[in-house]
Protein backbone atom coordinates (compact mmCIF):
# COMPACT_ATOMS: atom_id res chain seq x y z
CA UNK A 1 0.00 0.00 0.00
CA UNK A 2 1.25 3.46 -0.86
CA UNK A 3 1.89 5.72 2.12
CA UNK A 4 -0.97 8.12 1.49
CA UNK A 5 -3.53 5.35 1.98
CA UNK A 6 -2.18 4.20 5.34
CA UNK A 7 -4.50 6.63 7.09
CA UNK A 8 -7.63 4.92 5.68
CA UNK A 9 -8.33 2.52 8.59
CA UNK A 10 -7.94 5.36 11.10
CA UNK A 11 -10.23 7.67 9.11
CA UNK A 12 -12.86 4.92 8.77
CA UNK A 13 -12.77 4.34 12.54
CA UNK A 14 -12.78 8.05 13.34
CA UNK A 15 -15.91 8.65 11.28
CA UNK A 16 -17.60 5.54 12.68
CA UNK A 17 -18.33 4.05 9.27
CA UNK A 18 -19.92 0.62 8.90
CA UNK A 19 -18.18 0.23 5.53
CA UNK A 20 -14.42 0.05 5.01
CA UNK A 21 -13.28 -2.64 7.40
CA UNK A 22 -11.69 -5.09 7.30
CA UNK A 23 -9.40 -3.63 4.64
CA UNK A 24 -7.41 -5.79 2.25
CA UNK A 25 -4.88 -3.87 0.20
CA UNK A 26 -2.89 -5.38 -2.64
CA UNK A 27 -0.14 -3.83 -4.67
CA UNK A 28 -1.50 -5.60 -7.74
CA UNK A 29 -4.53 -7.76 -8.36
CA UNK A 30 -6.52 -9.01 -11.32
CA UNK A 31 -9.69 -7.15 -10.32
CA UNK A 32 -10.82 -5.86 -6.94
CA UNK A 33 -14.38 -6.86 -7.80
CA UNK A 34 -13.25 -10.45 -8.28
CA UNK A 35 -11.36 -10.32 -4.96
CA UNK A 36 -14.44 -9.00 -3.19
CA UNK A 37 -16.77 -11.44 -4.89
CA UNK A 38 -14.59 -14.41 -3.98
CA UNK A 39 -14.30 -13.24 -0.38
CA UNK A 40 -18.06 -12.66 -0.18
CA UNK A 41 -18.67 -16.26 -1.22
CA UNK A 42 -16.33 -17.37 1.53
CA UNK A 43 -18.30 -15.35 4.06
CA UNK A 44 -16.50 -11.99 4.20
CA UNK A 45 -18.48 -9.62 6.44
CA UNK A 46 -20.49 -6.69 5.13
CA UNK A 47 -18.29 -3.63 4.79
CA UNK A 48 -15.15 -5.53 3.73
CA UNK A 49 -13.03 -3.30 1.51
CA UNK A 50 -10.65 -4.53 -1.19
CA UNK A 51 -8.18 -2.01 -2.54
CA UNK A 52 -5.43 -2.33 -5.11
CA UNK A 53 -2.74 -0.03 -6.48
CA UNK A 54 -3.05 -1.65 -9.88
CA UNK A 55 -5.30 -4.09 -11.66
CA UNK A 56 -4.24 -6.45 -14.41
CA UNK A 57 -7.80 -7.28 -15.42
CA UNK A 58 -9.89 -4.35 -14.21
CA UNK A 59 -13.33 -4.58 -15.65
CA UNK A 60 -16.08 -2.34 -16.81
CA UNK A 61 -19.47 -3.31 -18.05
CA UNK A 62 -19.61 -6.63 -19.94
CA UNK A 63 -15.96 -7.44 -19.56
CA UNK A 64 -14.57 -4.16 -20.87
CA UNK A 65 -11.19 -3.30 -19.46
CA UNK A 66 -10.48 -0.48 -17.03
CA UNK A 67 -6.92 0.82 -17.13
CA UNK A 68 -5.08 2.65 -14.39
CA UNK A 69 -1.48 3.61 -13.69
CA UNK A 70 -0.07 2.17 -10.47
CA UNK A 71 -0.62 4.20 -7.32
CA UNK A 72 -2.28 7.14 -9.01
CA UNK A 73 -5.91 6.38 -8.65
CA UNK A 74 -8.44 4.74 -6.39
CA UNK A 75 -9.46 1.22 -7.26
CA UNK A 76 -11.61 -0.50 -4.69
CA UNK A 77 -14.52 -2.84 -4.13
CA UNK A 78 -16.84 -3.19 -1.19
CA UNK A 79 -18.85 -6.14 0.04
CA UNK A 80 -22.36 -5.04 0.94
CA UNK A 81 -25.03 -7.37 2.26
CA UNK A 82 -28.35 -5.55 2.02
CA UNK A 83 -31.22 -7.34 3.61
CA UNK A 84 -33.67 -6.71 0.79
CA UNK A 85 -35.45 -8.48 -2.06
CA UNK A 86 -33.57 -8.69 -5.40
CA UNK A 87 -35.81 -6.05 -6.94
CA UNK A 88 -34.34 -3.46 -4.53
CA UNK A 89 -30.78 -4.10 -5.67
CA UNK A 90 -30.52 -2.29 -9.05
CA UNK A 91 -31.19 1.16 -7.51
CA UNK A 92 -28.06 0.65 -5.40
CA UNK A 93 -26.02 1.11 -8.60
CA UNK A 94 -27.29 4.70 -8.76
CA UNK A 95 -26.46 5.32 -5.11
CA UNK A 96 -22.87 4.29 -5.82
CA UNK A 97 -22.55 6.84 -8.62
CA UNK A 98 -24.00 9.55 -6.40
CA UNK A 99 -21.59 8.79 -3.54
CA UNK A 100 -18.61 9.10 -5.90
CA UNK A 101 -20.01 12.28 -7.43
CA UNK A 102 -20.39 13.94 -4.04
CA UNK A 103 -16.86 12.95 -2.95
CA UNK A 104 -15.35 14.31 -6.18
CA UNK A 105 -17.44 17.50 -6.05
CA UNK A 106 -16.19 18.17 -2.51
CA UNK A 107 -12.66 18.46 -3.93
CA UNK A 108 -13.09 20.00 -7.37
CA UNK A 109 -16.17 22.13 -6.67
CA UNK A 110 -19.89 21.50 -7.08
CA UNK A 111 -20.30 23.05 -10.49
CA UNK A 112 -19.86 20.64 -13.32
CA UNK A 113 -19.70 17.28 -11.54
CA UNK A 114 -22.55 15.14 -12.83
CA UNK A 115 -23.68 11.55 -13.04
CA UNK A 116 -24.30 10.03 -16.44
CA UNK A 117 -27.00 7.43 -15.92
CA UNK A 118 -26.68 5.03 -14.37
CA UNK A 119 -23.40 5.78 -12.60
CA UNK A 120 -20.52 7.21 -14.60
CA UNK A 121 -19.20 10.35 -12.95
CA UNK A 122 -18.31 13.21 -15.31
CA UNK A 123 -16.60 16.53 -14.78
CA UNK A 124 -17.34 19.03 -17.55
CA UNK A 125 -18.48 16.09 -19.62
CA UNK A 126 -15.29 14.04 -19.17
CA UNK A 127 -15.30 10.76 -17.28
CA UNK A 128 -13.54 10.89 -13.92
CA UNK A 129 -14.91 7.74 -12.28
CA UNK A 130 -16.62 4.50 -13.16
CA UNK A 131 -18.71 2.15 -11.09
CA UNK A 132 -19.37 -1.54 -11.63
CA UNK A 133 -21.87 -3.10 -9.25
CA UNK A 134 -22.32 -6.85 -9.23
CA UNK A 135 -24.65 -8.89 -7.12
CA UNK A 136 -25.29 -12.51 -6.40
CA UNK A 137 -28.84 -13.78 -6.06
CA UNK A 138 -29.63 -17.28 -4.90
CA UNK A 139 -33.32 -18.07 -5.22
CA UNK A 140 -35.12 -15.06 -3.77
CA UNK A 141 -32.22 -14.12 -1.49
CA UNK A 142 -29.57 -11.50 -2.19
CA UNK A 143 -26.30 -13.05 -1.06
CA UNK A 144 -23.98 -10.10 -1.60
CA UNK A 145 -23.63 -6.89 -3.57
CA UNK A 146 -20.16 -5.92 -4.73
CA UNK A 147 -19.69 -2.20 -5.33
CA UNK A 148 -16.61 -1.65 -7.51
CA UNK A 149 -15.34 1.89 -7.97
CA UNK A 150 -12.50 3.41 -9.97
CA UNK A 151 -11.67 7.12 -9.57
CA UNK A 152 -8.94 8.91 -11.50
CA UNK A 153 -7.23 10.94 -8.78
CA UNK A 154 -3.57 11.78 -9.31
CA UNK A 155 -3.11 10.96 -13.01
CA UNK A 156 -1.91 13.96 -14.98
CA UNK A 157 -0.82 12.21 -18.15
CA UNK A 158 -3.80 10.34 -19.48
CA UNK A 159 -3.23 8.06 -22.47
CA UNK A 160 -3.79 10.01 -25.65
CA UNK A 161 -6.61 7.73 -26.71
CA UNK A 162 -8.76 8.81 -23.76
CA UNK A 163 -7.43 12.30 -22.96
CA UNK A 164 -10.34 13.97 -24.75
CA UNK A 165 -12.99 11.95 -22.92
CA UNK A 166 -11.44 11.38 -19.48
CA UNK A 167 -10.07 13.49 -16.67
CA UNK A 168 -8.77 13.19 -13.11
CA UNK A 169 -9.18 15.06 -9.84
CA UNK A 170 -5.64 16.46 -10.21
CA UNK A 171 -6.42 17.78 -13.68
CA UNK A 172 -9.56 19.51 -12.42
CA UNK A 173 -7.79 21.43 -9.65
CA UNK A 174 -6.42 24.89 -10.28
CA UNK A 175 -2.72 25.10 -11.21
CA UNK A 176 -0.55 25.22 -8.14
CA UNK A 177 -3.10 23.52 -5.84
CA UNK A 178 -1.70 20.79 -3.58
CA UNK A 179 -2.20 17.26 -4.96
CA UNK A 180 -5.54 15.68 -4.05
CA UNK A 181 -5.72 13.41 -1.00
CA UNK A 182 -6.63 9.85 -2.07
CA UNK A 183 -7.44 8.70 1.47
CA UNK A 184 -9.87 11.58 2.07
CA UNK A 185 -11.67 10.98 -1.23
CA UNK A 186 -11.94 7.25 -0.55
CA UNK A 187 -13.35 7.79 2.93
CA UNK A 188 -15.83 10.38 1.62
CA UNK A 189 -17.11 7.81 -0.91
CA UNK A 190 -17.45 5.23 1.87
CA UNK A 191 -19.32 7.75 4.04
CA UNK A 192 -21.77 8.53 1.22
CA UNK A 193 -22.43 4.85 0.62
CA UNK A 194 -22.75 4.22 4.36
CA UNK A 195 -25.39 6.93 4.61
CA UNK A 196 -27.52 5.98 1.59
CA UNK A 197 -27.22 2.26 0.74
CA UNK A 198 -29.25 1.05 3.72
CA UNK A 199 -32.31 3.24 3.28
CA UNK A 200 -32.37 2.80 -0.50
CA UNK A 201 -32.22 -0.99 -0.09
CA UNK A 202 -35.06 -0.81 2.42
CA UNK A 203 -37.29 1.86 0.91
CA UNK A 204 -36.13 2.66 -2.62
CA UNK A 205 -34.73 5.81 -4.17
CA UNK A 206 -37.20 8.26 -2.57
CA UNK A 207 -34.75 10.07 -0.30
CA UNK A 208 -32.01 10.43 -2.93
CA UNK A 209 -34.24 11.05 -5.93
CA UNK A 210 -33.95 14.86 -5.80
CA UNK A 211 -30.16 14.66 -5.54
CA UNK A 212 -30.06 12.27 -8.50
CA UNK A 213 -32.08 14.83 -10.45
CA UNK A 214 -29.69 17.67 -9.63
CA UNK A 215 -26.66 15.56 -10.59
CA UNK A 216 -28.19 14.25 -13.83
CA UNK A 217 -25.78 14.78 -16.75
CA UNK A 218 -28.31 13.56 -19.31
CA UNK A 219 -31.43 15.59 -18.52
CA UNK A 220 -32.56 17.52 -21.57
CA UNK A 221 -29.87 15.97 -23.72
CA UNK A 222 -30.26 13.86 -26.81
CA UNK A 223 -29.43 10.21 -26.02
CA UNK A 224 -29.26 6.96 -27.91
CA UNK A 225 -29.21 3.39 -26.67
CA UNK A 226 -29.99 -0.17 -27.63
CA UNK A 227 -33.67 0.62 -27.18
CA UNK A 228 -33.83 3.66 -29.42
CA UNK A 229 -33.18 7.37 -29.18
CA UNK A 230 -34.78 10.47 -27.74
CA UNK A 231 -34.43 13.19 -25.15
CA UNK A 232 -33.53 12.27 -21.57
CA UNK A 233 -36.10 13.51 -19.06
CA UNK A 234 -34.61 12.40 -15.77
CA UNK A 235 -34.74 9.22 -13.73
CA UNK A 236 -37.89 7.68 -12.26
CA UNK A 237 -38.21 6.51 -8.65
CA UNK A 238 -37.20 2.97 -9.67
CA UNK A 239 -33.98 4.39 -11.11
CA UNK A 240 -34.93 3.93 -14.76
CA UNK A 241 -33.94 6.53 -17.33
CA UNK A 242 -36.89 8.41 -18.80
CA UNK A 243 -36.48 9.00 -22.52
CA UNK A 244 -39.02 10.77 -24.73
CA UNK A 245 -38.84 9.67 -28.33
CA UNK A 246 -39.49 11.88 -31.34
CA UNK A 247 -43.14 10.83 -31.44
CA UNK A 248 -43.54 12.17 -27.90
CA UNK A 249 -43.80 8.76 -26.24
CA UNK A 250 -42.08 8.41 -22.87
CA UNK A 251 -39.96 5.27 -22.43
CA UNK A 252 -38.35 3.87 -19.28
CA UNK A 253 -34.97 2.32 -19.92
CA UNK A 254 -33.70 -0.04 -17.28
CA UNK A 255 -30.55 -1.37 -18.87
CA UNK A 256 -28.07 -1.03 -21.64
CA UNK A 257 -25.45 1.48 -22.62
CA UNK A 258 -26.56 5.06 -23.26
CA UNK A 259 -24.59 7.41 -25.45
CA UNK A 260 -24.84 11.14 -25.39
CA UNK A 261 -25.25 13.02 -28.64
CA UNK A 262 -22.99 16.05 -29.05
CA UNK A 263 -24.58 19.31 -27.98
CA UNK A 264 -26.15 21.07 -30.91
CA UNK A 265 -24.53 24.36 -31.81
CA UNK B 1 -70.05 -20.48 5.99
CA UNK B 2 -67.83 -21.97 3.35
CA UNK B 3 -67.72 -21.04 -0.26
CA UNK B 4 -69.40 -23.57 -2.49
CA UNK B 5 -66.73 -24.48 -5.00
CA UNK B 6 -69.25 -25.90 -7.46
CA UNK B 7 -71.21 -22.67 -7.37
CA UNK B 8 -68.03 -20.69 -7.84
CA UNK B 9 -67.03 -22.81 -10.80
CA UNK B 10 -70.36 -22.37 -12.57
CA UNK B 11 -70.23 -18.65 -11.79
CA UNK B 12 -66.80 -18.37 -13.42
CA UNK B 13 -67.96 -20.46 -16.37
CA UNK B 14 -70.89 -18.16 -16.88
CA UNK B 15 -68.73 -15.03 -16.61
CA UNK B 16 -66.30 -16.51 -19.11
CA UNK B 17 -69.06 -17.42 -21.49
CA UNK B 18 -70.52 -13.92 -21.34
CA UNK B 19 -67.03 -12.37 -21.38
CA UNK B 20 -67.56 -10.41 -18.15
CA UNK B 21 -64.27 -8.98 -16.88
CA UNK B 22 -65.21 -8.35 -13.28
CA UNK B 23 -68.04 -9.48 -10.98
CA UNK B 24 -68.74 -8.57 -7.38
CA UNK B 25 -71.58 -9.76 -5.18
CA UNK B 26 -72.28 -9.11 -1.52
CA UNK B 27 -74.91 -10.62 0.74
CA UNK B 28 -75.12 -11.50 4.43
CA UNK B 29 -71.68 -10.02 5.14
CA UNK B 30 -70.10 -12.20 2.52
CA UNK B 31 -68.50 -10.74 -0.54
CA UNK B 32 -67.43 -12.59 -3.65
CA UNK B 33 -65.32 -10.85 -6.24
CA UNK B 34 -64.17 -12.43 -9.47
CA UNK B 35 -61.73 -10.65 -11.75
CA UNK B 36 -61.08 -12.62 -14.91
CA UNK B 37 -57.60 -12.81 -16.34
CA UNK B 38 -56.13 -11.80 -13.00
CA UNK B 39 -57.13 -13.76 -9.92
CA UNK B 40 -60.05 -14.82 -7.76
CA UNK B 41 -60.36 -13.00 -4.47
CA UNK B 42 -62.89 -13.61 -1.76
CA UNK B 43 -63.53 -11.00 0.91
CA UNK B 44 -65.74 -10.84 3.97
CA UNK B 45 -65.16 -13.59 6.51
CA UNK B 46 -61.60 -14.85 6.75
CA UNK B 47 -61.44 -17.06 3.74
CA UNK B 48 -58.74 -17.42 1.17
CA UNK B 49 -59.28 -18.84 -2.25
CA UNK B 50 -56.14 -20.07 -3.93
CA UNK B 51 -55.36 -17.59 -6.65
CA UNK B 52 -55.48 -18.84 -10.19
CA UNK B 53 -53.55 -22.05 -10.56
CA UNK B 54 -50.37 -23.83 -9.66
CA UNK B 55 -48.56 -21.41 -7.36
CA UNK B 56 -49.02 -22.50 -3.76
CA UNK B 57 -47.96 -19.97 -1.10
CA UNK B 58 -44.24 -19.85 -1.84
CA UNK B 59 -41.35 -18.53 0.19
CA UNK B 60 -41.95 -15.03 -1.19
CA UNK B 61 -43.71 -13.44 -4.14
CA UNK B 62 -40.34 -12.94 -5.81
CA UNK B 63 -39.27 -16.55 -5.38
CA UNK B 64 -36.88 -17.17 -8.21
CA UNK B 65 -37.58 -20.86 -8.47
CA UNK B 66 -41.20 -21.78 -8.89
CA UNK B 67 -42.37 -25.39 -8.96
CA UNK B 68 -43.57 -26.27 -12.42
CA UNK B 69 -46.03 -29.04 -13.20
CA UNK B 70 -45.10 -32.14 -11.19
CA UNK B 71 -42.38 -33.64 -13.40
CA UNK B 72 -39.62 -32.86 -10.91
CA UNK B 73 -38.50 -29.79 -12.79
CA UNK B 74 -38.50 -26.19 -11.65
CA UNK B 75 -38.38 -22.89 -13.47
CA UNK B 76 -35.87 -20.23 -12.52
CA UNK B 77 -37.35 -16.78 -13.06
CA UNK B 78 -35.90 -13.30 -13.37
CA UNK B 79 -35.69 -11.35 -10.08
CA UNK B 80 -36.23 -8.04 -11.88
CA UNK B 81 -36.62 -6.20 -15.17
CA UNK B 82 -33.35 -6.14 -17.08
CA UNK B 83 -31.27 -7.63 -19.85
CA UNK B 84 -30.46 -11.34 -19.88
CA UNK B 85 -26.89 -12.46 -20.58
CA UNK B 86 -25.73 -16.05 -20.87
CA UNK B 87 -22.01 -15.28 -20.53
CA UNK B 88 -19.86 -12.89 -18.46
CA UNK B 89 -18.66 -11.03 -21.56
CA UNK B 90 -19.57 -11.17 -25.24
CA UNK B 91 -16.65 -13.43 -26.23
CA UNK B 92 -16.74 -15.72 -23.19
CA UNK B 93 -18.42 -19.14 -23.22
CA UNK B 94 -21.95 -19.40 -21.82
CA UNK B 95 -22.33 -20.15 -18.11
CA UNK B 96 -24.59 -23.11 -18.89
CA UNK B 97 -26.03 -24.94 -21.88
CA UNK B 98 -28.95 -27.33 -22.21
CA UNK B 99 -27.82 -30.53 -20.57
CA UNK B 100 -25.31 -28.85 -18.22
CA UNK B 101 -25.27 -30.51 -14.81
CA UNK B 102 -25.35 -27.77 -12.19
CA UNK B 103 -24.54 -27.65 -8.49
CA UNK B 104 -25.69 -25.20 -5.81
CA UNK B 105 -23.94 -21.83 -6.08
CA UNK B 106 -23.13 -22.23 -9.76
CA UNK B 107 -23.80 -19.13 -11.84
CA UNK B 108 -26.55 -19.64 -14.43
CA UNK B 109 -26.74 -16.23 -16.08
CA UNK B 110 -26.50 -12.48 -15.57
CA UNK B 111 -29.47 -10.16 -15.51
CA UNK B 112 -28.37 -6.55 -15.90
CA UNK B 113 -30.39 -3.60 -14.70
CA UNK B 114 -28.96 -0.11 -14.42
CA UNK B 115 -25.46 -1.44 -15.06
CA UNK B 116 -25.78 -3.71 -12.08
CA UNK B 117 -24.61 -7.12 -13.14
CA UNK B 118 -26.68 -9.58 -11.22
CA UNK B 119 -25.46 -13.16 -11.16
CA UNK B 120 -28.24 -15.67 -10.73
CA UNK B 121 -26.95 -18.73 -8.90
CA UNK B 122 -28.43 -22.21 -8.71
CA UNK B 123 -30.07 -23.08 -5.42
CA UNK B 124 -29.85 -26.83 -5.94
CA UNK B 125 -28.24 -29.54 -8.05
CA UNK B 126 -29.82 -30.55 -11.31
CA UNK B 127 -29.68 -30.47 -15.09
CA UNK B 128 -30.62 -27.61 -17.41
CA UNK B 129 -33.58 -28.79 -19.49
CA UNK B 130 -34.48 -25.59 -21.24
CA UNK B 131 -33.20 -22.03 -21.67
CA UNK B 132 -36.24 -19.85 -22.26
CA UNK B 133 -34.64 -16.40 -22.49
CA UNK B 134 -32.49 -15.13 -25.35
CA UNK B 135 -29.02 -13.73 -24.84
CA UNK B 136 -28.96 -9.93 -24.88
CA UNK B 137 -32.75 -9.57 -24.76
CA UNK B 138 -34.90 -7.80 -22.21
CA UNK B 139 -36.57 -9.91 -19.53
CA UNK B 140 -39.45 -8.98 -17.27
CA UNK B 141 -39.79 -9.49 -13.54
CA UNK B 142 -40.87 -13.09 -12.98
CA UNK B 143 -40.17 -14.16 -16.57
CA UNK B 144 -38.99 -17.76 -16.88
CA UNK B 145 -35.26 -18.06 -17.65
CA UNK B 146 -34.42 -21.73 -17.21
CA UNK B 147 -36.14 -25.05 -16.70
CA UNK B 148 -34.09 -27.29 -14.44
CA UNK B 149 -34.55 -30.96 -13.63
CA UNK B 150 -33.80 -31.32 -9.93
CA UNK B 151 -31.24 -33.98 -9.08
Amino acid sequence: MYKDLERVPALVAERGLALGAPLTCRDETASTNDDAKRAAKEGAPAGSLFLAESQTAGRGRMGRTWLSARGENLLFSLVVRPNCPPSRVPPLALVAGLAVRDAVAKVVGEGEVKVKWPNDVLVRGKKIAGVLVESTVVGSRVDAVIVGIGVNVLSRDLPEAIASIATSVALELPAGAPPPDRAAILVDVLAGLDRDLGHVAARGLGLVHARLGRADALRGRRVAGELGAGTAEGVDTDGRLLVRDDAGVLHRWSSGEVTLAPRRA
Amino acid sequence: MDLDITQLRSLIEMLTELDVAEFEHESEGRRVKVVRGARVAVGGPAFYAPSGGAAAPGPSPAAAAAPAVDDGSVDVTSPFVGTFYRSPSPDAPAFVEIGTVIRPGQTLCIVEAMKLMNEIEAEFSGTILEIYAQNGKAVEFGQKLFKIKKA
Side-chain angles (χ1 to χ4, degrees):
Chain A
M1 175 158 56
Y2 285 44
K3 274 226 166 316
D4 63 331
L5 293 179
E6 282 173 1
R7 291 190 300 128
V8 169
L11 289 173
V12 166
E14 194 179 295
R15 292 176 67 168
L17 302 180
L19 301 175
L23 167 66
T24 306
C25 189
R26 295 198 165 94
D27 188 47
E28 181 176 289
T29 189
S31 144
T32 57
N33 259 35
D34 289 348
D35 294 344
K37 212 192 293 182
R38 200 175 311 117
K41 279 202 177 180
E42 289 161 6
S48 299
L49 173 61
F50 294 81
L51 217 150
E53 290 293 9
S54 81
Q55 291 186 129
T56 54
R59 284 179 299 122
R61 184 175 171 271
M62 291 317 288
R64 282 179 205 146
T65 52
W66 175 269
L67 298 170
S68 171
R70 182 180 305 261
E72 291 194 340
N73 301 315
L74 282 170
L75 309 168
F76 60 98
S77 298
L78 274 167
V79 177
V80 182
R81 296 191 186 274
N83 186 16
C84 67
S87 58
R88 286 277 192 222
V89 172
L92 302 181
L94 278 71
V95 172
L98 202 53
V100 178
R101 190 222 82 96
D102 289 352
V104 168
K106 195 172 158 186
V107 183
V108 307
E110 282 294 324
E112 280 294 309
V113 192
K114 302 278 185 191
V115 180
K116 173 177 167 278
W117 183 91
N119 53 24
D120 282 343
V121 181
L122 312 179
V123 181
R124 295 178 299 106
K126 291 179 168 185
K127 184 158 165 174
I128 198 165
V131 176
L132 179 66
V133 186
E134 299 182 83
S135 76
T136 311
V137 166
V138 186
S140 55
R141 186 177 61 84
V142 179
D143 181 59
V145 176
I146 308 300
V147 181
I149 292 171
V151 189
N152 298 337
V153 183
L154 298 169
S155 296
R156 289 195 156 274
D157 298 311
L158 296 171
E160 203 174 320
I162 59 165
S164 64
I165 54 166
T167 188
S168 71
V169 178
L171 288 172
E172 294 302 323
L173 290 175
D181 179 347
R182 288 199 302 163
I185 295 171
L186 168 61
V187 174
D188 279 338
V189 174
L190 297 177
L193 292 169
D194 196 19
R195 183 186 58 194
D196 290 330
L197 283 176
H199 68 79
V200 171
R203 292 186 290 277
L205 287 169
L207 292 176
V208 300
H209 191 251
R211 282 164 56 213
L212 282 172
R214 284 195 296 276
D216 188 349
L218 298 181
R219 181 181 281 273
R221 303 285 304 273
R222 183 90 192 154
V223 294
E226 288 143 37
L227 301 167
T231 304
E233 294 198 351
V235 172
D236 74 8
T237 49
D238 290 328
R240 293 174 296 186
L241 184 67
L242 297 167
V243 178
R244 194 174 296 278
D245 69 19
D246 295 339
V249 180
L250 193 63
H251 300 267
R252 292 163 195 271
W253 292 358
S254 65
S255 63
E257 194 76 6
V258 174
T259 53
L260 192 54
R263 244 182 235 283
R264 285 182 192 140
Chain B
M1 183 178 173
D2 277 338
L3 186 71
D4 184 332
I5 207 76
T6 321
Q7 269 186 3
L8 182 63
R9 175 169 293 141
S10 45
L11 173 64
I12 292 170
E13 275 167 12
M14 188 186 76
L15 296 175
T16 309
E17 195 183 311
L18 299 174
D19 201 24
V20 177
E22 195 168 333
F23 170 83
E24 195 167 351
H25 173 73
E26 189 169 0
S27 72
E28 295 163 2
R30 220 166 129 257
R31 191 159 61 92
V32 175
K33 184 178 181 182
V34 177
V35 180
R36 282 181 53 231
R39 51 167 59 214
V40 183
V42 178
F47 178 91
Y48 248 91
S51 61
S60 94
V69 205
D70 48 8
D71 61 351
S73 71
V74 292
D75 288 330
V76 173
T77 60
S78 178
F80 42 69
V81 178
T83 305
F84 174 80
Y85 292 106
R86 289 189 52 200
S87 63
S89 64
D91 47 0
F95 292 112
V96 294
E97 301 283 356
I98 290 172
T100 301
V101 176
I102 54 158
R103 51 188 167 65
Q106 184 170 343
T107 302
L108 303 175
C109 66
I110 287 174
V111 177
E112 180 206 354
M114 289 168 278
K115 220 168 89 181
L116 182 133
M117 314 309 279
N118 186 73
E119 291 187 1
I120 312 291
E121 290 188 355
E123 273 183 288
F124 40 75
S125 307
T127 309
I128 305 284
L129 291 181
E130 209 164 327
I131 301 171
Y132 297 111
Q134 267 190 303
N135 188 52
K137 297 284 185 215
V139 289
E140 294 296 323
F141 170 76
Q143 185 176 332
K144 291 178 188 174
L145 304 177
F146 298 97
K147 184 179 201 166
I148 297 174
K149 173 91 175 171
K150 267 190 159 178

